[in-house]
Amino acid sequence: MHRWTASPRFVGVTDDVRSDLSQLGAPIGPMIRVHGGFANRMYRLDTDQGSFAVKELNLVDRRWTDHVEDVFRFERAAFAAGVPMPEPISASQHTLVHRWVEGEKVPEAPVPAAYAFEIGEILARLHALDVEWTHVSSEDPVARDWPELAERAAATGQPWADELASHVETFLAIAQFVDTCERPGPVVLTHRDIQPWNLLARDGRPVVLDWELSGMLDLAGELGSTALSLAKGPGFDDIEPAIFRSVLDGYVAGGGALPPSGPSWFVFMIGGWLGFTRWNALRCLAGVEASTGPELAVSHESVRNGVRGLPDLFGRLPELETLLV
């Protein structure tokens, strides 16, 4: 019988992660790090039972790991319902394991209309699932410490310090918007993070990845975030309204009902990006390469993207609301 030991095949992963892989079969090659993750670390493992995507969870900085069992239950239900996604294999406090799937990366650019339509249909199918969700989320107030972060960034010579300092007032205004924007509902159990980097294209059709942020969310926030991310490029200068509407048309065709128009369609995207930028800024200010989560260089890139992109996105809110008409 194969025995899992601290061999060169598993260099870089913890003993806890190694133990979580014991049911996947005998490895037929080294576990390969897949770089580029924004929050967790992922590896490909080939064994005599197949190929697997092994995600090492970032237990230090991320709070969602306390409901990993709920996430896994939701994934299993979605997979059983025919949602195109990697088969979920196992979940623990330390790892998530899925069957490896091949596909083309989805660029950060407007997707084809048929692809956007099918994403809308997938969301409608997800929102119709009857899945027990035991986790009760408790959102903290939006942080308002941007002046202090800017001072620390300047004092420690962060490469994005000047840009952050020039946008402090805007970041405070964004925090105020996220805190006070009315969310009319309904609230649905959903993926919460369907973005180009969490999608593959297989024969031109979507495959949905990275479900660990799943949970309850205001429907408008889910639809607005998803439709906008699929209808634009890296910035906000080339938004294609027809692609945005294709997501919504697919949602209605799949049996979903659209919520009322308003700024709540975009508050989740703005608030999530705000929190993600701050989380990465704190990692950069710590100045050390953490044992879990993204590499320090990726965190710096994420902060730069947030410091440059969030003020632009916030300033375009009136323009974005016209997409709902």
Side-chain angles (χ1 to χ4, degrees):
M1 183 177 69
H2 177 79
R3 299 181 65 86
W4 289 73
T5 59
S7 73
R9 298 176 187 270
F10 305 107
V11 172
V13 299
T14 65
D15 291 339
D16 291 323
V17 171
R18 269 193 293 272
S19 67
D20 288 340
L21 308 181
S22 59
Q23 304 304 315
L24 300 181
I28 58 177
M31 191 154 69
I32 301 170
R33 173 81 183 274
V34 181
H35 291 275
F38 290 113
N40 301 293
R41 298 190 178 185
M42 194 174 78
Y43 303 84
R44 173 172 175 160
L45 175 63
D46 297 313
T47 79
D48 58 358
Q49 295 184 21
S51 297
F52 302 92
V54 179
K55 186 168 291 186
E56 181 183 12
L57 302 181
N58 180 2
L59 302 177
V60 176
D61 299 300
R62 306 292 280 186
R63 298 183 179 182
W64 57 265
T65 48
D66 62 353
H67 65 285
V68 65
E69 292 181 1
D70 278 345
V71 171
F72 188 66
R73 188 185 309 111
F74 182 44
E75 283 193 82
R76 296 290 288 178
F79 184 78
V83 171
M85 58 184 288
E87 180 186 1
I89 301 298
S90 65
S92 75
Q93 181 184 0
H94 309 285
T95 57
L96 288 172
V97 179
H98 296 81
R99 188 76 61 179
W100 186 269
V101 295
E102 296 290 347
E104 298 177 5
K105 290 184 177 181
V106 175
E108 195 172 354
V111 302
Y115 189 101
F117 187 92
E118 189 166 356
I119 289 292
E121 290 182 312
I122 289 170
L123 285 177
R125 195 183 312 172
L126 285 180
H127 298 167
L129 293 175
D130 183 14
V131 178
E132 180 186 14
W133 190 261
T134 62
H135 178 71
V136 179
S137 62
S138 55
E139 293 188 8
D140 294 330
V142 181
R144 309 293 181 96
D145 58 350
W146 293 100
E148 293 82 358
L149 293 180
E151 290 179 4
R152 290 176 58 190
T156 55
Q158 302 297 328
W160 35 265
D162 290 343
E163 287 180 286
L164 177 58
S166 68
H167 290 301
V168 163
E169 293 303 320
T170 303
F171 272 74
L172 291 174
I174 293 172
Q176 175 69 11
F177 165 71
V178 173
D179 248 352
T180 59
C181 182
E182 182 180 355
R183 297 162 174 80
V187 174
V188 294
L189 176 58
T190 190
H191 183 283
R192 290 170 52 108
D193 198 26
I194 295 184
Q195 308 286 331
W197 48 86
N198 289 336
L199 292 167
L200 294 176
R202 194 170 188 178
D203 297 326
R205 304 184 66 184
V207 178
V208 183
L209 311 175
D210 294 343
W211 292 68
E212 57 265 25
L213 294 182
S214 298
M216 308 303 295
L217 180 62
D218 185 83
L219 174 59
E222 174 77 330
L223 291 177
S225 173
T226 302
L228 181 57
S229 70
L230 299 183
K232 71 177 191 66
F236 299 94
D237 293 325
D238 61 347
I239 299 171
E240 293 194 12
I243 302 304
F244 188 100
R245 294 299 311 181
S246 290
V247 176
L248 308 190
D249 291 343
Y251 189 74
V252 172
L258 300 181
S261 300
S264 63
W265 280 68
F266 306 104
V267 69
F268 174 69
M269 185 177 198
I270 292 173
W273 198 2
L274 184 71
F276 185 66
T277 300
R278 181 178 179 274
W279 178 72
N280 278 287
L282 291 172
R283 290 176 69 90
C284 294
L285 290 170
V288 295
E289 193 74 54
S291 59
T292 59
E295 296 92 342
L296 199 55
V298 174
S299 285
H300 278 294
E301 179 186 359
S302 296
V303 176
R304 281 192 297 269
N305 290 340
V307 168
R308 295 170 184 174
L310 269 166
D312 186 19
L313 173 59
F314 185 59
R316 291 174 184 255
L317 266 178
E319 172 189 340
L320 295 178
E321 289 189 53
T322 66
L323 296 169
L324 308 176
V325 178

